[in-house]
């Protein structure tokens, strides 16, 4: 088989080549034609009509169906449907085992009566959960290791009558220098130059107006 410069097989048919371009003729295994790989995929055959001396069209090429190689044959559609009659016992009405206590009789049951057996643990009549079942352990390592040495009552952060005027110390968006900021409030957010801000009333309460003219100049 001719090869190219890099050593790969050249499958292009050229004039004067010995490439067998045939899909109907059958040759021996030593002769490779254009569809030789298809014959290899069909092997192994139980009966090859091309290699026998006397051709017999009544014999099958394979003595199996699909990948079943143990000689058995799959069931037909009729056999599969007819076998459903053996499933009849699974669909008959059965008498289930009824429990002594159900939803309707649970309120009338006396589960705490004395039966002579332990209430919990080994030998008890009815199973019970451990007393610590579903217990929440909310204590952390920080709280256990750094506990206060002496009991104390924490003081309140501020008196109850203390007025919260923290809004007076907040810086609002300027109506004159922050004109391109999208976080603005008001009806016309782009041309609001009234000079009134949300904390204007709080500033007047905290910062009282003073007389800026000294008394000696009056």
């Amino acid at each position: 088989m001719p090869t190219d410069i890099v050593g790969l097989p050249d499958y292009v048919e050229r004039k004067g080549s010995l490439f067998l371009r045939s899909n109907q003729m059958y040759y021996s295994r030593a002769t490779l034609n254009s569809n030789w790989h298809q014959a290899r995929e069909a092997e192994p055959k139980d009966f090859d009509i091309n290699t026998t001396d006397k051709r017999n069209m009544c014999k099958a090429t394979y003595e199996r169906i699909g990948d079943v190689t143990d000689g058995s044959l799959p069931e037909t559609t009729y056999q599969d449907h007819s076998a459903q009659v053996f499933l009849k016992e699974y669909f008959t009405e059965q008498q289930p085992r009824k429990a002594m206590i159900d939803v309707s009789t649970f309120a009338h049951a006396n589960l705490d009566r004395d039966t002579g057996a332990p209430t919990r643990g080994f030998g008890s009549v009815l199973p019970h959960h451990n007393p610590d079942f579903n217990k929440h352990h909310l204590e952390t390592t920080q709280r256990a290791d750094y506990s206060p040495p002496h009991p104390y009552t924490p003081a309140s952060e501020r008196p109850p009558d203390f007025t919260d005027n923290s809004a007076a110390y907040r810086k609002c968006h300027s109506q004159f220098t922050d004109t391109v900021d999208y976080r603005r409030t008001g009806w016309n957010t782009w041309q609001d130059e009234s000079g009134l801000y949300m904390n204007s009333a709080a500033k007047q309460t905290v910062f009282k107006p003073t007389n800026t003219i000294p008394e000696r100049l009056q």
Side-chain angles (χ1 to χ4, degrees):
M1 180 180 294
T3 58
D4 56 2
I5 300 177
V6 296
L8 298 177
D10 191 359
Y11 295 104
V12 179
E13 182 180 2
R14 296 198 173 110
K15 295 181 179 180
S17 64
L18 300 178
F19 185 78
L20 295 178
R21 190 175 183 180
S22 174
N23 297 331
Q24 293 82 18
M25 299 299 296
Y26 178 79
Y27 300 90
S28 63
R29 295 177 61 89
T31 305
L32 302 179
N33 54 352
S34 58
N35 65 336
W36 67 270
H37 55 88
Q38 297 180 2
R40 300 298 188 272
E41 294 174 359
E43 295 178 357
K45 297 180 180 180
D46 298 322
F47 174 74
D48 194 351
I49 194 173
N50 296 316
T51 58
T52 57
D53 298 337
K54 185 178 180 181
R55 296 191 176 188
N56 187 359
M57 303 299 293
C58 296
K59 297 185 65 174
T61 306
Y62 304 100
E63 296 179 356
R64 63 183 187 276
I65 296 179
D67 57 350
V68 181
T69 58
D70 56 354
S72 62
L73 297 177
E75 295 182 353
T76 61
T77 305
Y78 175 77
Q79 292 175 346
D80 182 59
H81 287 205
S82 300
Q84 296 181 3
V85 69
F86 300 105
L87 304 177
K88 184 178 179 180
E89 58 178 346
Y90 296 102
F91 295 93
T92 57
E93 185 177 358
Q94 301 178 2
Q95 294 294 335
R97 184 178 179 180
K98 297 182 180 180
M100 296 179 60
I101 300 177
D102 53 7
V103 178
S104 59
T105 61
F106 181 79
H108 304 283
N110 186 11
L111 302 179
D112 297 332
R113 67 182 185 276
D114 186 10
T115 58
T119 307
R120 298 178 181 273
F122 177 77
S124 60
V125 179
L126 298 177
H128 294 276
H129 284 298
N130 195 316
D132 294 337
F133 177 77
N134 203 17
K135 181 180 180 181
H136 294 265
H137 300 275
L138 303 178
E139 186 177 10
T140 61
T141 307
Q142 173 74 17
R143 188 179 184 87
D145 296 345
Y146 297 94
S147 60
H150 305 285
Y152 72 98
T153 302
S156 58
E157 297 181 359
R158 64 179 184 180
D161 298 335
F162 183 80
T163 306
D164 185 10
N165 293 324
S166 60
Y169 301 92
R170 296 176 183 174
K171 182 180 181 301
C172 298
H173 291 77
S174 177
Q175 299 176 1
F176 306 99
T177 59
D178 300 334
T179 56
V180 296
D181 198 346
Y182 66 93
R183 295 173 297 178
R184 301 177 63 87
T185 58
W187 294 99
N188 192 347
T189 58
W190 299 103
Q191 298 180 1
D192 188 4
E193 298 180 357
S194 61
L196 299 177
Y197 298 92
M198 299 179 61
N199 61 348
S200 299
K203 283 187 176 182
Q204 294 178 2
T205 305
V206 176
F207 305 104
K208 301 294 183 180
T210 58
N211 188 5
T212 56
I213 302 176
E215 297 180 356
R216 58 188 179 86
L217 297 180
Q218 291 181 354

